Amino acid sequence: MSVLLLRLAGPLQSWGSSSRFARRGTEVAPTKSGVIGLLAAAKGVRRTEPLTELLDLEFGVRLDQPGQIMRDFQTARSLDGRESAPLTYRFYLSDAAFLAAVSGEQELLHGLTEALRRPRFPLYLGRRSCPPVGPISLGLHDGTLDDALASWPWLAADWYRRRAARTVRLEIIRDARTGEPVTETLPDEPVSFDPAHRQHTWRSVLRQHVDITNDLAERAGVAEHDPLSLLGG
């Protein structure tokens, strides 16, 4: 089996699974529909085109750096200033980083890997206002989706890792398989992105945890750097 690994990191991300009208929320981690949309954009699949070959991908994500939820609001007025639209509240994840994984047919994954290197359409992390930082693809790897999410090195920023312990427990959210316990269900299984007839079905997910080694943890007994120590006194 093969797994395509993705690094999803940027100043802002927003992964809504049930946002409507004036309130646009975000989940605490990338959604399957959002990542499938990102992969479709990389391949040049338009919103009105079928997602057939992408619908059978298995998906999982590891919360390497959860970030913080940030709220923004937007206003709009007519050109003459006489009429105003309702306030819209939009929520984002600030300063977050995730390891995402998709598994499926070898030929499909190879094509997705190449598409991410030369995307046909711009890629973004949930919303157009959320561009990624650095390359998204971490390449195609042998093994299972579970093994990849449990063994890949921690993707959090250096400053974040230096504040953490030598071993950290990270949450994994992945598709629940037949016979497994279901932690929750979300309206997050994409069927169509066609603006005239957008469709999602319910997705069963399993939440679990994995312990990852932190090779940037502060060593015991080593004093922190004091930038004022050279001034004396």
Side-chain angles (χ1 to χ4, degrees):
M1 297 182 65
S2 297
V3 181
L4 173 59
L5 293 179
L6 312 172
R7 175 181 178 269
L8 305 176
L12 294 176
Q13 305 185 38
S14 188
W15 306 95
S17 64
S18 58
S19 297
R20 293 291 185 274
F21 308 111
R23 187 177 180 88
R24 305 294 179 88
T26 180
E27 301 294 332
V28 298
T31 58
K32 184 174 184 177
S33 59
V35 173
I36 293 297
L38 183 150
L39 296 174
K43 285 181 64 66
V45 179
R46 298 185 179 276
R47 289 181 179 271
T48 54
E49 296 177 344
L51 299 169
T52 307
E53 64 176 358
L54 300 177
L55 297 182
D56 292 331
L57 289 172
E58 185 181 23
F59 173 72
V61 61
R62 192 179 75 190
L63 285 65
D64 282 29
Q65 185 173 324
Q68 295 182 333
I69 293 181
M70 184 182 76
R71 186 184 70 173
D72 183 28
F73 71 90
Q74 299 180 7
T75 62
R77 299 185 69 86
S78 61
L79 290 177
D80 59 12
R82 296 178 179 178
E83 298 181 4
S84 60
L87 290 176
T88 61
Y89 293 88
R90 299 170 187 252
F91 293 81
Y92 299 88
L93 294 175
S94 173
D95 207 15
F98 304 96
L99 173 68
V102 292
S103 64
E105 295 183 0
Q106 177 80 18
E107 184 177 352
L108 173 59
L109 293 180
H110 180 75
L112 291 174
T113 303
E114 293 301 315
L116 287 170
R117 292 173 180 167
R118 301 176 181 85
R120 293 284 303 278
F121 298 136
L123 306 181
Y124 47 87
L125 305 178
R127 291 202 188 123
R128 292 186 180 90
S129 59
C130 303
V133 171
I136 288 178
S137 175
L138 295 174
L140 198 58
H141 304 271
D142 293 332
T144 67
L145 182 141
D146 290 349
D147 291 341
L149 291 176
S151 62
W152 193 261
W154 197 14
L155 295 182
D158 287 356
W159 65 266
Y160 189 89
R161 292 160 60 193
R162 289 193 180 98
R163 297 178 179 181
R166 286 187 176 276
T167 301
V168 293
R169 173 153 289 192
L170 304 179
E171 184 176 17
I172 291 176
I173 305 173
R174 64 164 175 83
D175 292 340
R177 304 182 185 106
T178 303
E180 290 184 329
V182 175
T183 305
E184 62 181 314
T185 56
L186 299 170
D188 185 36
E189 193 74 47
V191 177
S192 171
F193 291 137
D194 188 338
H197 192 55
R198 184 174 297 180
Q199 287 182 289
H200 293 79
T201 59
W202 290 94
R203 170 185 170 226
S204 299
V205 302
L206 174 66
R207 292 177 179 261
Q208 51 192 182
H209 293 83
V210 62
D211 292 332
I212 299 292
T213 300
N214 176 20
D215 57 5
L216 286 185
E218 294 286 350
R219 294 185 178 181
V222 177
E224 294 184 358
H225 172 63
D226 181 4
L228 299 180
S229 61
L230 297 178
L231 297 179

